[in-house]
Amino acid sequence: MTLVAGVDIGSTTAKCILLEDGAIVGKSLAPVGVELVKDAERALEKALGEAGRERREVQAVTGTGYGRFKVTFGQYTLTEIGCHAKGAHYLFPGTRVVLDIGGQDTKAIKVSDRGEVVDFAMNDKCAAGTGRFLDVCAGALGFDVSEIGSLSLGARHPVKVTNTCTVFAESEVSAYVARGKDPKDIVAGLYASVVSRSLSLMQRVGVEPELTFTGGVSRNEGVVRTLRQRLNLSVNVSPLSQYVGAIGAALHGLERAGSPPP
Amino acid sequence: MESTSAKAPSFLSTAREQQRSMVEEYYAGLAQAGGAKRPVAYMLVGGNLTEIVRSFGYEVVFPEIVALNCAIKHVSLPNILHAESQGYGLDVCGYVKNDLGLQDLGGETPFGRIPPPDLLVCSFSGCYVYVKWWEALAEKYGCPLFMLDVPYMRDPEPQAEDRTYLIAQLKEFITLLERTTGRSFDLGELRRVLARSRRAEEGWVEYLDSGRGRPSPIEAYFEAVFYMFPINVLRGTEVAAEFYATVNAEVKERVRTGQYPVPEEKVRLVVEGVPPYPSYRTFWDFFRKWGAVSVAATYPKVGGLFDRGFLHDPGRPLESIADYSLGAYVNQSWPLRRKLIADYVKDFQADAVLIHGIKSCRSFTAGQGDLRDWLIHDLHVPTLYLESDHEDPRYFAPAQIKNRMDAFFESLGPRREPLVPPPGAP
Ligand code: SF4
């Protein structure tokens, strides 16, 4: 029996996955604050609570995400790029490209048939096209981001929204609202903007099946639908898509702890 | 794979000391330069005409090098902001803004006062910004501006018509120098200067070639940048000619005693692009932590691709100066630049390529994205592209750069050797 944990401290949430002999036995997800070490501790404790396991039983903890160095109680760290490659390969072994859209980052990762990173491309310093971008623009429309997932259904004339700057996009959305544009069309425009930005990143590593979409934004059905339409390709999305980084981190610990990955 | 045993950079101690005092003496000497007795010529690094102006007794100032010295000493931002307050936009080259800001603020730097130019020599070799920059200086100082129009290098060897065109311009330049200094051209003196240049170039090439060693006894990017100063700024002087003998003796000693710049060489890199001077040490540290050493780099060759055969020749003075200007790295077409990098990867047994793109440079940097794709997709060489700036500290985002670098080095592990993670690192 090998019990390992992966803790992913992202820009907006902390996620933890517990793997026992390669199977997920516990998970947790919570927003992060300013005390990342405590957030990481809490994420682990919560996942342990869900699994009914004790901290001392955990043989390896791996930190990932921007806050990976705050998982101070862990033994290993691995960037979220490496973790998303491993995690996506675990959930969908045929994965060759991972698109990960998180709170402030978009990454396209080319993956080998063993779940290793072959190449990757990331968005530059602007958060345009990320989860934060959708948050801000949803706010300008008067919605919470969780409410706009299916809003683009039935859009007839999607508007054009810039994908180079979050602040410009927000003002554009406000201007469309002021001009009385249908919110459906505005949201459809936002999704097209997110997807076209992701496509240019994916093209840098090369798009090929299977594509696995991960990160918080992959839970937005409108973005997933737009992506599928634009690529004319089936896109893997797991109900655990927000945990892919943490899964990859746990797998890294499992490799280190001596057991082969499943 | 991240090594936690990275120590402070090990420099060639005597050479480093000598280099430091050469820099100090050079800037101290500039304080007295200017005017008829010791006139000052401003020159650009790529394809410069140092030897000719030296033979006429000019002191040479390279504003690009002054700019990088300002950046490394963390004093570039006030100059940049001053230039921006005068209307130079955010996307204007940081070197240009540092220089024009500094000039307008009086030329004082922590390493000495930079004298205004008596002559501006623009070797237009690949960067169109050079022309506008030198025109702005000419307008400010009202001094003669000589524009050397260097045709773009399309073939591996200089073409006869290009050489003829350049030699004709060099003759015009000599006439201008005779007129402005009141001195006659002294071919013998030019040959002597060229002979000293060549000695420095041969020593420099020997230093660069030692990156072929496994492990490499030199850091061919971060460390080589220090040793670029004599070859670029002092070329044609006796101190520069002698300097590389000291450097190479120390490199040999390193090999004999097994003292390498990276204690455990794990990744051999070829590096392309200008360094992020405002965060030079931080950037270097990111590499050393992974046991990565640069074994060859293109940037230290911006002052001359001497390792590819463009050596000054006192026996063919004007011809070799023409060939030198044509062969400037920034003046090479992309197919030639690509080939050079691919050759370095092969000849120096590199594992990967790192490209550092410069936000505010659209000459040297344009095309690096395609270079990355070509290396990865056509040559299957793992390549990382990072971007910040050579001069403007506002563009360096350490967390993002480190993250990309960590991910890159992690990904090299499985392809080369088992990945050994840092225990509880950062
Ligand atoms: S090549 Fe780039 S860095 Fe050099 S002067 Fe031109 S724009 Fe500036």
Side-chain angles (χ1 to χ4, degrees):
Chain A
M1 180 215 79
T2 313
L3 183 68
V4 292
V7 183
D8 177 2
I9 308 293
S11 58
T12 48
T13 52
K15 283 93 37 179
C16 178
I17 281 285
L18 283 176
L19 282 184
E20 184 164 31
D21 294 335
I24 296 171
V25 294
K27 62 182 189 321
S28 71
L29 183 145
V32 287
V34 287
E35 293 188 90
L36 294 184
V37 178
K38 285 197 181 137
D39 290 332
E41 294 262 6
R42 263 196 294 272
L44 176 60
E45 292 304 333
K46 222 171 130 194
L48 285 168
E50 187 188 292
R53 308 301 291 266
E54 297 284 328
R55 177 81 168 260
R56 58 185 162 73
E57 296 175 69
V58 180
Q59 280 148 283
V61 178
T62 302
T64 187
Y66 267 110
R68 62 187 178 278
F69 302 121
K70 298 293 180 186
V71 186
T72 46
F73 50 89
Q75 293 79 42
Y76 309 114
T77 58
L78 193 71
T79 58
E80 60 273 31
I81 296 142
C83 287
H84 275 265
K86 281 183 197 296
H89 179 259
Y90 171 90
L91 293 170
F92 301 101
T95 300
R96 287 298 170 275
V97 178
V98 180
L99 172 66
D100 169 46
I101 311 187
Q104 289 179 8
D105 255 338
T106 305
K107 308 175 196 77
I109 309 164
K110 185 146 205 168
V111 180
S112 75
D113 56 5
R114 295 192 302 163
E116 293 150 351
V117 176
V118 175
D119 188 14
F120 66 94
M122 290 173 80
N123 65 318
D124 212 338
K125 278 146 216 156
C126 180
T130 67
R132 183 80 194 119
F133 171 87
L134 287 177
D135 277 353
V136 168
C137 292
L141 273 167
F143 290 101
D144 182 83
V145 70
S146 60
E147 301 168 323
I148 62 167
S150 56
L151 203 65
S152 61
L153 272 180
R156 288 152 56 111
H157 305 290
V159 299
K160 280 219 171 331
V161 181
T162 178
N163 63 12
T164 52
C165 171
T166 305
V167 179
F168 287 173
E170 183 186 15
S171 358
E172 273 177 41
V173 169
S174 302
Y176 284 129
V177 172
R179 275 158 48 194
K181 285 273 178 198
D182 184 342
K184 286 194 180 85
D185 289 337
I186 303 178
V187 172
L190 280 178
Y191 293 162
S193 166
V194 169
V195 166
S196 83
R197 196 159 166 112
S198 319
L199 281 178
S200 72
L201 276 183
M202 281 192 283
Q203 273 152 7
R204 281 174 50 194
V205 301
V207 185
E208 60 176 286
E210 295 174 16
L211 169 69
T212 300
F213 187 13
T214 66
V217 174
S218 67
R219 300 180 55 75
N220 181 309
E221 54 184 290
V223 176
V224 176
R225 200 171 37 245
T226 313
L227 183 66
R228 283 185 175 133
Q229 282 163 359
R230 277 296 296 274
L231 283 173
N232 198 17
L233 198 74
S234 80
V235 176
N236 301 326
V237 184
S238 161
L240 293 172
S241 62
Q242 273 180 290
Y243 294 92
V244 175
I247 293 172
L251 288 168
H252 182 70
L254 193 62
E255 288 163 21
R256 296 292 156 263
S259 307
Chain B
M1 189 166 74
E2 189 171 353
S3 153
T4 47
S5 60
K7 293 196 201 100
S10 103
F11 288 117
L12 306 169
S13 52
T14 315
R16 179 81 176 107
E17 271 316 306
Q18 255 189 44
Q19 185 263 0
R20 211 191 303 268
S21 55
M22 284 157 98
V23 174
E24 280 168 15
E25 278 164 29
Y26 165 75
Y27 282 114
L30 283 186
Q32 279 88 48
K37 268 175 102 183
R38 261 179 75 208
V40 171
Y42 276 23
M43 199 98 62
L44 290 147
V45 172
N48 63 68
L49 305 179
T50 298
E51 286 77 10
I52 297 183
V53 296
R54 273 199 206 291
S55 78
F56 275 89
Y58 276 88
E59 195 60 69
V60 188
V61 169
F62 291 92
E64 291 154 297
I65 293 175
V66 174
L68 74 86
N69 283 142
C70 287
I72 223 164
K73 295 245 180 247
H74 308 292
V75 295
S76 58
L77 192 57
N79 299 332
I80 291 173
L81 292 176
H82 187 75
E84 285 177 2
S85 75
Q86 295 181 314
Y88 289 94
L90 265 180
D91 52 353
V92 172
C93 170
Y95 278 176
V96 177
K97 285 191 289 191
N98 182 83
D99 180 52
L100 297 178
L102 178 67
Q103 298 287 344
D104 205 58
L105 290 167
E108 280 304 335
T109 72
F111 35 91
R113 198 180 81 82
I114 309 303
D118 298 296
L119 171 70
L120 290 157
V121 186
C122 181
S123 40
F124 173 48
S125 55
C127 173
Y128 58 89
V129 174
Y130 282 180
V131 178
K132 295 289 145 202
W133 182 1
W134 255 229
E135 282 175 356
L137 287 172
E139 197 175 302
K140 180 174 173 64
Y141 291 110
C143 60
L145 163 61
F146 183 81
M147 197 65 77
L148 178 75
D149 179 30
V150 185
Y152 202 46
M153 186 85 168
R154 308 167 299 277
D155 306 291
E157 295 301 324
Q159 297 299 297
E161 62 272 24
D162 291 344
R163 187 182 291 140
T164 309
Y165 175 55
L166 273 181
I167 291 173
Q169 293 181 68
L170 295 180
K171 288 182 177 159
E172 283 173 29
F173 182 49
I174 288 169
T175 309
L176 171 77
L177 291 175
E178 287 186 317
R179 212 175 49 235
T180 46
T181 61
R183 289 168 62 161
S184 305
F185 173 52
D186 181 346
L187 182 60
E189 177 58 11
L190 179 60
R191 287 187 203 278
R192 284 188 288 280
V193 176
L194 284 168
R196 291 195 289 267
S197 289
R198 191 182 177 111
R199 271 166 58 211
E201 288 158 10
E202 286 168 346
W204 172 236
V205 170
E206 186 185 334
Y207 167 75
L208 297 171
D209 266 353
S210 54
R212 292 171 196 260
R214 289 191 82 115
S216 170
I218 62 161
E219 216 308 329
Y221 187 64
F222 292 102
E223 186 184 62
V225 162
F226 287 98
Y227 303 123
M228 279 168 74
F229 186 86
I231 197 73
N232 285 338
V233 180
L234 304 175
R235 212 178 62 230
T237 66
E238 189 56 34
V239 278
E242 283 175 5
F243 175 67
Y244 294 100
T246 310
V247 174
N248 290 323
E250 283 197 58
V251 171
K252 287 198 181 89
E253 186 60 12
R254 264 189 190 172
V255 175
R256 202 185 61 77
T257 56
Q259 299 276 318
Y260 296 100
V262 173
E264 269 176 82
E265 179 179 293
K266 290 189 177 149
V267 183
R268 294 168 66 84
L269 289 173
V270 168
V271 186
E272 147 80 11
V274 188
Y277 282 115
S279 304
Y280 196 74
R281 288 302 173 123
T282 310
F283 194 58
W284 188 356
D285 283 346
F286 291 164
F287 285 88
R288 291 186 307 108
K289 281 195 179 132
W290 285 96
V293 65
S294 331
V295 292
T298 49
Y299 174 69
K301 327 288 169 51
V302 287
L305 280 168
F306 305 118
D307 61 331
R308 297 326 244 197
F310 288 105
L311 291 173
H312 284 101
D313 181 355
R316 300 165 54 242
L318 295 189
E319 288 83 348
S320 72
I321 292 172
D323 286 359
Y324 165 75
S325 295
L326 283 164
Y329 183 61
V330 271
N331 196 47
Q332 305 260 329
S333 69
W334 264 108
L336 296 178
R337 277 174 74 173
R338 281 180 177 191
K339 177 166 184 326
L340 178 70
I341 291 164
D343 286 351
Y344 282 155
V345 170
K346 202 160 93 247
D347 298 348
F348 288 75
Q349 299 176 51
D351 306 302
V353 173
L354 170 94
I355 303 170
H356 182 251
I358 299 299
K359 278 267 187 202
S360 69
C361 167
R362 289 294 148 233
S363 297
F364 191 82
T365 297
Q368 285 178 337
D370 292 336
L371 169 69
R372 172 200 174 277
D373 291 350
W374 179 72
L375 286 165
I376 292 175
H377 301 305
D378 293 31
L379 298 194
H380 307 290
V381 176
T383 302
L384 176 67
Y385 180 84
L386 296 168
E387 196 174 47
S388 71
D389 199 66
H390 52 348
E391 193 66 20
D392 193 330
R394 295 171 293 181
Y395 289 118
F396 192 81
Q400 301 212 12
I401 288 178
K402 183 174 188 315
N403 204 36
R404 284 160 170 74
M405 229 183 240
D406 286 352
F408 181 70
F409 286 119
E410 279 171 10
S411 79
L412 285 182
R415 285 185 268 172
R416 300 175 57 252
E417 61 180 63
L419 190 78
V420 182

